[in-house]
Amino acid sequence: MTLPPHTAAPAAYRVLEPEDIPDYLRERGHWTGEAIEVHEVSDGNMNRVFIARAPGGGRSLAVKQALPWVRVAGPSWPMSPARADAEARAYRQVAAVAPDTIPAIHGYDTDNYALTMEDMSDLRVLRTHLNEGGEYGSVSRRIGTFVAALSFATSDFGMASADRKALVATSVSPELCKITEDVVLSEPYLEHEHNHWHPGLDDLAAAFRADPALRTEVAALRHIFMTSAQALLHGDLHTGSVMVGTRQGADVVRVFDPEFSFVGPIGFDLGLYWGNVLVSELRARALGTPGDHAEQLALSWDAFEAELRRLWPTRIDTFFDDAYLDRFLTQVWSESLGFAGTEIIRRVIGFAHLTDLTTLPDPGPASRRALLLGRELILRRDRLRDAAGVRALVEEVLGATA
């Protein structure tokens, strides 16, 4: 099949198969001598992932390759493999400021859009861990610190103006940003073939499409996403893009899959994480096992704010004074709540749903609560002043739909 020009891979590109990985790793200088066992662990929508191990255990590596199409759809949905460039660039930026929050990267193959990295198969996806009753531990604090460190280092606060403008230019990702603009920030509020939902939610899906106040606020958030180039984002920071576990008795947190990375509004990363955390709370309540899910929003925000304030005295442009930081944090807080709301809504009536809800014995009631919570987060984002207000909103929504 001939791909459109914007999705075409370079002439040297080849789709890697499991049997190719041993020679590929040796050719790239990542493996010498010992035999290699390979198995594929591809799980996401976009890419292929292989684990290479020495027989009997010991050394291991992961190879992740971006295909010139969406993996779950095949060649019928072309997609530029250059998204791997954005992922590699994001890893390089994070490695400079928060290296312990990402997998170790051993090399990036620009011809084949393939990353060779740390094997994380001993860790668990945070969403799976939470769905099965696991606890957060230090995850939310680590996420807040991660977002603050990356945001400060790649913003006009922490980066020279010329370098910042070069980063913005090299980080432009029109194809993947368009996916977010459509799938997250417009399609759920329109009649669209991508949308689907639990049968009991027809009334809310229709009401959201017909709600002028909600659509106006979502339009404002969409415009912020499109125009607010504040800092380099992960771009898809949810509980499915975080791995957790323990190694040698210590907690391990790894943020991965930043292929949607671009320079955008800081609140988008925080908001995606918060939206998923709040859905985890609704799942726990539906199962009768409430935990500290809602508290995670406060923990991540406190860590974000503390790290940004710690870094603030080192800012390059001192015209931004301490009073401006308070104003800036208020803006980020409000936008984060709004983006959390859009994330919740699109995960219920949009294209890609959450197993947090779909695996419940009866997804309907919790999904309804999720939609109502998402709407109120969007509409009240400028009135909810702190995490206590968000917790009160969760209880209000739960009470109204009991």
Side-chain angles (χ1 to χ4, degrees):
M1 182 188 76
T2 301
L3 297 171
H6 70 289
T7 62
Y13 178 92
R14 56 174 172 151
V15 175
L16 297 172
E17 300 295 340
E19 58 269 22
D20 299 325
I21 299 300
D23 287 342
Y24 175 81
L25 289 174
R26 291 189 177 100
E27 290 165 5
R28 302 285 302 175
H30 298 307
W31 205 285
T32 57
E34 57 192 336
I36 306 175
E37 295 178 346
V38 178
H39 66 283
E40 184 172 356
V41 295
S42 304
D43 186 40
N45 293 329
M46 306 288 284
N47 311 293
R48 297 186 77 182
V49 180
F50 307 94
I51 302 297
R53 286 195 180 94
R59 188 181 182 202
S60 62
L61 290 171
V63 177
K64 176 183 178 182
Q65 183 179 38
L67 299 170
W69 50 74
V70 176
R71 184 184 68 84
V72 294
S76 65
W77 188 345
M79 179 70 62
S80 172
R83 61 187 182 272
D85 293 339
E87 180 168 2
R89 180 170 52 248
Y91 281 138
R92 286 194 296 271
Q93 291 287 345
V94 178
V97 294
D100 63 336
T101 59
I102 56 171
I105 306 300
H106 300 290
Y108 177 54
D109 177 358
T110 56
D111 288 335
N112 292 296
Y113 298 107
L115 282 155
T116 301
M117 64 176 71
E118 171 188 349
D119 172 19
M120 298 187 291
S121 57
D122 61 317
L123 306 178
R124 304 191 75 202
V125 175
L126 178 59
R127 174 172 295 126
T128 303
H129 174 71
L130 296 175
N131 283 354
E132 295 178 1
E135 298 180 352
Y136 287 89
S138 63
V139 173
S140 291
R141 291 187 182 89
R142 298 277 292 278
I143 293 296
T145 302
F146 158 80
V147 174
L150 180 60
S151 297
F152 183 87
T154 60
S155 71
D156 283 307
F157 307 136
M159 181 178 276
S161 179
D163 294 337
R164 257 271 304 171
K165 289 174 174 56
L167 177 65
V168 172
T170 58
S171 300
V172 170
S173 183
E175 193 172 21
L176 293 184
C177 283
K178 185 65 166 59
I179 290 176
T180 301
E181 292 158 17
D182 291 347
V183 173
V184 181
L185 298 169
S186 64
E187 288 175 5
Y189 311 91
L190 306 168
E191 293 275 3
H192 198 280
E193 62 182 357
H194 284 166
N195 297 334
H196 60 103
W197 52 80
H198 187 273
L201 301 176
D202 290 353
D203 59 329
L204 283 183
F208 282 20
R209 293 194 300 271
D211 187 334
L214 178 61
R215 285 170 56 106
T216 297
E217 286 302 315
V218 173
L221 289 163
R222 186 172 187 266
H223 194 239
I224 290 167
F225 178 85
M226 297 171 73
T227 61
S228 183
Q230 291 178 336
L232 189 68
L233 308 183
H234 178 284
D236 197 25
L237 184 58
H238 51 73
T239 52
S241 56
V242 181
M243 303 287 284
V244 298
T246 58
R247 290 175 178 168
Q248 299 178 333
D251 287 346
V252 175
V253 177
R254 294 286 187 269
V255 177
F256 68 106
D257 275 1
E259 61 193 357
F260 279 75
S261 177
F262 80 110
V263 177
I266 295 167
F268 188 71
D269 272 356
L270 287 171
L272 293 197
Y273 181 70
W274 290 357
N276 282 258
V277 161
L278 291 172
V279 171
S280 291
E281 171 73 9
L282 297 180
R283 173 187 173 85
R285 297 289 187 99
L287 294 173
T289 58
D292 64 343
H293 301 270
E295 183 64 21
Q296 300 306 312
L297 185 152
L299 292 174
S300 59
W301 175 258
D302 289 348
F304 170 82
E305 181 176 355
E307 181 66 5
L308 204 62
R309 289 190 184 280
R310 186 187 71 81
L311 293 167
W312 189 250
T314 69
R315 65 193 181 279
I316 288 175
D317 190 340
T318 56
F319 186 80
F320 297 111
D321 58 15
D322 292 346
Y324 178 73
L325 176 58
D326 293 335
R327 179 175 175 176
F328 180 73
L329 286 167
T330 298
Q331 174 193 347
V332 173
W333 166 262
S334 171
E335 292 177 2
S336 299
L337 291 178
F339 286 124
T342 64
E343 169 70 357
I344 292 172
I345 290 171
R346 74 97 169 192
R347 293 293 198 169
V348 180
I349 59 173
F351 178 62
H353 292 189
L354 292 176
T355 56
D356 309 53
L357 299 175
T358 61
T359 59
L360 288 171
D362 179 6
S367 297
R368 175 171 291 272
R369 294 182 180 109
L371 285 177
L372 296 174
L373 177 60
R375 181 181 66 186
E376 294 308 311
L377 286 169
I378 293 168
L379 294 177
R380 301 192 206 180
R381 64 188 179 91
D382 289 328
R383 287 174 280 158
L384 294 168
R385 299 298 183 184
D386 52 30
V390 177
R391 286 194 293 271
L393 175 60
V394 171
E395 298 304 325
E396 177 186 327
V397 169
L398 287 169
T401 56

